[in-house]
Amino acid sequence: MQVLLLVDIQNDFVPGGALAVPDGDQVISVANALIPRFELVVATKDWHPADHGSFARQHPNHKIGDVIDLHGLQQILWPDHCIQNTAGAEFVETLDTDDIDRVFFKGTDADIDSYSGIFDNGRRKATGLGEYLRESGIRDVYVMGLATDYCVKFTVLDALDLGFHVHVIEDGCRGVDLKPGDSARAIEEMRKEGAYIVRSDQIARRGRVGPSQPEV
Ligand code: VGL
Ligand code: ZN
């Protein structure tokens, strides 16, 4: 059993948003093309309280991009983004959300960030996604979304850790690239840790996903 996992395809991560990922909007058509090919579709949402500790605004002596110690963990400071129940935290309007079966929320604790959709950055709390995938009888997890070098990467590494076969849909991901090359390095790291790096057109052509895909 396979799942399509859509990571953080939210308004604040696409151009015009508070933490815009360059070309982040280009993943939407990839997602919309893939959603009908999967029996199970799950999404994550970055879902922060307004005073989240990852926001530079909460640390008056620091600025966006600084790295601080946040309760014992290294934390990059971001602009305010994906605040719970705000427009910035909504799915991008053009994403076909009707067939998303479940949404998992992360970054809800002001004291700790959660790049991964599975565990927080301290691996203290789980979002429930890992258990849900296990209980759903999933072996293969197809991951795409935003951002390659943060939430996609850490979600993929946690999913590998839990023993899933993880496929990263490369053309369905875009990165922040605070440092040039971060996304490319993230892809290499995921590959090194055991993820399969695939393109969305391979999924369609190979017919590996969903019932009775024609072999070409
Ligand atoms: C993300 C930075 C901060 C992401 C979330 O979704 O990749 N990046 N919060
Ligand atoms: Zn965040």
Side-chain angles (χ1 to χ4, degrees):
M1 174 86 167
Q2 296 142 333
V3 65
L4 177 64
L5 176 53
L6 305 172
V7 176
D8 296 3
I9 306 183
Q10 293 165 273
N11 287 325
D12 272 341
F13 293 127
V14 296
L19 210 176
V21 175
D23 294 328
D25 53 332
Q26 293 188 20
V27 309
I28 295 158
S29 60
V30 178
N32 288 345
L34 288 179
I35 286 167
R37 298 182 177 277
F38 284 81
E39 252 175 87
L40 189 66
V41 181
V42 171
T44 62
K45 272 189 173 180
D46 210 32
W47 194 251
H48 296 308
D51 62 348
H52 195 266
S54 74
F55 295 168
R57 190 197 297 279
Q58 301 298 315
H59 309 277
N61 300 323
H62 290 278
K63 58 182 193 313
I64 290 165
D66 283 357
V67 178
I68 65 159
D69 181 296
L70 184 65
H71 308 295
L73 292 178
Q74 288 226 322
Q75 176 66 53
I76 302 174
L77 295 181
W78 303 105
D80 289 6
H81 65 278
C82 295
I83 295 173
Q84 297 169 3
N85 302 305
T86 65
E90 289 309 305
F91 287 126
V92 177
E93 206 180 300
T94 47
L95 182 68
D96 290 339
T97 54
D98 287 357
D99 290 323
I100 295 176
D101 298 288
R102 274 287 295 267
V103 180
F104 289 87
F105 298 87
K106 63 193 186 59
T108 58
D109 180 342
D111 292 329
I112 189 165
D113 211 353
S114 186
Y115 292 145
S116 163
I118 300 177
F119 298 109
D120 66 38
N121 290 1
R123 280 194 146 250
R124 287 170 202 152
K125 283 192 199 145
T127 62
L129 172 58
E131 278 189 359
Y132 174 81
L133 296 179
R134 239 176 221 163
E135 285 164 7
S136 302
I138 296 297
R139 187 188 75 163
D140 290 87
V141 183
Y142 287 77
V143 185
M144 60 161 289
L146 307 170
T148 315
D149 37 357
Y150 292 96
C151 292
V152 170
K153 173 176 131 178
F154 287 99
T155 300
V156 165
L157 296 180
D158 278 350
L160 286 167
D161 237 43
L162 292 181
F164 295 107
H165 295 205
V166 184
H167 310 251
V168 181
I169 303 161
E170 192 172 9
D171 53 317
C173 299
R174 292 292 185 283
V176 180
D177 284 324
L178 279 185
K179 270 195 239 112
D182 278 354
S183 294
R185 281 187 290 273
I187 292 281
E188 277 323 300
E189 189 177 342
M190 292 185 272
R191 190 202 309 273
K192 201 180 99 236
E193 294 300 322
Y196 305 106
I197 311 299
V198 302
R199 299 194 57 86
S200 59
D201 61 353
Q202 293 175 319
I203 295 172
R205 205 173 45 243
R206 286 185 194 163
R208 289 192 295 189
V209 178
S212 62
Q213 294 285 330
E215 291 286 336
V216 178

